[in-house]
Amino acid sequence: VPSMPSIPMAFPLRPLFSEEPWIPMGWLIAMVFPSVIGMSYLLTQEVAFSFWFFHIMYRAQETIIRATGFPVSGWTFVHHQELGGYLTACCFLLWVARGHLRRTWDAVLNARARPDDGDEPLPYRWAVGGLVVSTVAAAGMLTAVGMSYVVALATILLFYVVLVVLTWMIIDGGLLFVTTTAAPSEFLVPLLGTRALGPANLAIPSVLEHGVMWDSREFVMPSVMNGMRAPDAARVNRRHVVGVMGVALLVALPVGFIACLKVIYHYGALNLQHWTYMIAAPDFPRRAAGYLHAPVATNWTNVSIMGGGALFMLFLCVMRLRFIWWPAHPIGYVAFSKYHAHNLWFAIFLGWVMKLVVLRIGGVQLYRRLRPAFLGMIVGDSVMAAVFLVVGLVTGQGYSFLPG
């Protein structure tokens, strides 16, 4: 059958780093995604720089750990840094928003107040009341099936931390594809140990976390916040959009559950996406089983790493807030070891370099003149992905738009 050779879009660096202790650098893969190059050209320079720089730093840390024999794996070291970074980032965001939060709280507590919330998605009292009631109710449901209420509440609040930071990464940073694998138990187990938590507080979250708290590609909050920008441009009341979103969720949830079960039982889960059903699905139950068979105490090494990550994140946040010349954005630090960084770092690096050269040669004027070309890369890549959704139904050939 006649065919056209494919253009290579991925270049593994393993041949360059094939010996110890450089093997972690060999895990880098230079992948080219036209839409990501275009997107990174439109990002601020500090966000694009931080995204690829901190991923290289992550691999360098793993290399140093292998070279020095540090008694913690590279993944454990980096992952707990990120966990500490999440805690600091959430506290920093709440501190930055303290004025708005104070006005919201005053509107809730003061019955005579007339809050200026007409353009908000929900009235302040409804939003705060809904958050409190849903949190208390969710913790009560977990308690009803056997968890401690305190641990259940801590689990939900830590999940909120992840949601807030993830939404900030997407809204403030402009990243189009972000994954986080930070579950509430990964904060609690190193700090408290499994003996203090008890069997129920380990087994029940192993199901809950994998289902709704772990893989951030399915989280709704960043999409909702992005959706709140559309009414501003169209001069539409945000509350009308919230109603449409609510209807969409009510339709999507049952349709998604039914379709998922139908596909699984028709094709067999083991014949479907490898990560979803072979790696991610058994991870938390297997982890909980290990804790039940071999309980562990507080892991002060991992807690110390989390503390170090929290302090470094605080340093990055303060430097960005106080000094306009500071080149690194804190967003890069809480996302530098995950799947999206592994796949996108090189394409973002290319976009960053191109923008840097353009600004140095022609300044802002040349940057604006070339912006349509990079928007065209995004549109063209997206159009090809849409076309191959149809073509693939006939030929079985797909198009590599973004990593899975």
Side-chain angles (χ1 to χ4, degrees):
V1 179
S3 63
M4 180 177 293
S6 61
I7 300 174
M9 304 292 281
F11 307 91
L13 303 189
R14 185 169 298 173
L16 303 177
F17 304 98
S18 58
E19 298 181 358
E20 292 286 2
W22 300 102
I23 288 178
M25 300 300 293
W27 293 337
L28 291 168
I29 302 177
M31 298 186 186
V32 179
F33 295 97
S35 59
V36 177
I37 296 175
M39 178 273 299
S40 62
Y41 182 82
L42 303 177
L43 290 177
T44 60
Q45 282 293 81
E46 63 268 22
V47 171
F49 168 78
S50 302
F51 197 89
W52 67 262
F53 172 79
F54 281 114
H55 186 66
I56 300 297
M57 189 186 80
Y58 157 50
R59 295 301 182 188
Q61 283 184 353
E62 285 196 315
T63 301
I64 294 172
I65 287 173
R66 282 176 174 255
T68 58
F70 191 73
V72 172
S73 70
W75 162 253
T76 300
F77 188 81
V78 171
H79 185 57
H80 286 84
Q81 283 182 71
E82 290 182 333
L83 294 177
Y86 271 93
L87 296 174
T88 295
C90 184
C91 293
F92 182 77
L93 292 172
L94 294 177
W95 181 81
V96 170
R98 63 192 183 281
H100 175 72
L101 295 176
R102 186 185 302 114
R103 290 190 296 271
T104 302
W105 192 246
D106 290 342
V108 172
L109 295 181
N110 188 354
R112 297 181 179 179
R114 295 183 178 180
D116 184 18
D117 58 2
D119 193 39
E120 295 293 340
L122 289 174
Y124 290 152
R125 289 166 184 158
W126 285 29
V128 174
L131 176 65
V132 172
V133 171
S134 61
T135 302
V136 171
M141 293 170 65
L142 292 174
T143 304
V145 296
M147 284 187 70
S148 159
Y149 189 83
V150 174
V151 176
L153 188 61
T155 297
I156 295 171
L157 294 178
L158 287 170
F159 179 53
Y160 290 167
V161 170
V162 175
L163 281 179
V164 168
V165 176
L166 174 70
T167 304
W168 167 62
M169 290 164 59
I170 294 175
I171 302 302
D172 188 43
L175 302 178
L176 76 168
F177 173 69
V178 178
T179 57
T180 60
T181 51
S185 64
E186 294 177 306
F187 294 92
L188 296 175
V189 169
L191 182 61
L192 301 177
T194 58
R195 291 187 179 91
L197 290 172
N201 294 323
L202 295 170
I204 295 172
S206 70
V207 178
L208 175 70
E209 289 178 336
H210 172 258
V212 297
M213 293 184 174
W214 195 44
D215 196 332
S216 60
R217 286 172 290 186
E218 289 79 27
F219 291 170
V220 177
M221 185 170 170
S223 300
V224 171
M225 292 302 295
N226 264 331
M228 290 298 103
R229 297 300 300 273
D232 296 341
R235 298 182 179 179
V236 176
N237 192 300
R238 291 180 179 179
R239 294 184 184 177
H240 298 160
V241 177
V242 170
V244 174
M245 287 182 177
V247 173
L249 284 174
L250 290 176
V251 174
L253 284 173
V255 170
F257 278 122
I258 295 171
C260 184
L261 290 174
K262 186 174 181 179
V263 170
I264 290 173
Y265 280 97
H266 180 75
Y267 293 101
L270 300 184
N271 298 319
L272 298 174
Q273 213 266 349
H274 182 72
W275 161 260
T276 302
Y277 299 102
M278 296 291 289
I279 299 178
D283 182 66
F284 278 94
R286 187 184 296 122
R287 195 182 306 181
Y291 290 148
L292 294 175
H293 283 92
V296 296
T298 299
N299 190 324
W300 291 111
T301 300
N302 290 348
V303 171
S304 300
I305 296 171
M306 289 174 60
L311 290 176
F312 188 68
M313 185 66 178
L314 178 61
F315 168 76
L316 292 174
C317 291
V318 171
M319 293 298 290
R320 171 168 168 74
L321 185 66
R322 296 296 184 185
F323 302 101
I324 193 172
W325 52 264
W326 181 250
H329 197 291
I331 283 177
Y333 186 63
V334 290
F336 69 119
S337 73
K338 298 301 183 285
Y339 176 73
H340 66 278
H342 175 71
N343 287 275
L344 303 183
W345 72 271
F346 184 70
I348 291 181
F349 169 75
L350 291 178
W352 174 80
V353 168
M354 292 176 186
K355 183 176 181 179
L356 182 65
V357 172
V358 166
L359 290 174
R360 292 290 176 88
I361 294 175
V364 177
Q365 185 177 1
L366 182 59
Y367 162 74
R368 290 174 177 171
R369 289 177 59 187
L370 293 178
R371 188 162 52 185
F374 287 88
L375 286 170
M377 296 176 69
I378 299 173
V379 174
D381 205 22
S382 303
V383 169
M384 288 300 298
V387 169
F388 268 85
L389 283 175
V390 179
V391 174
L393 295 175
V394 179
T395 65
Q397 298 295 319
Y399 179 78
S400 181
F401 176 58
L402 284 176

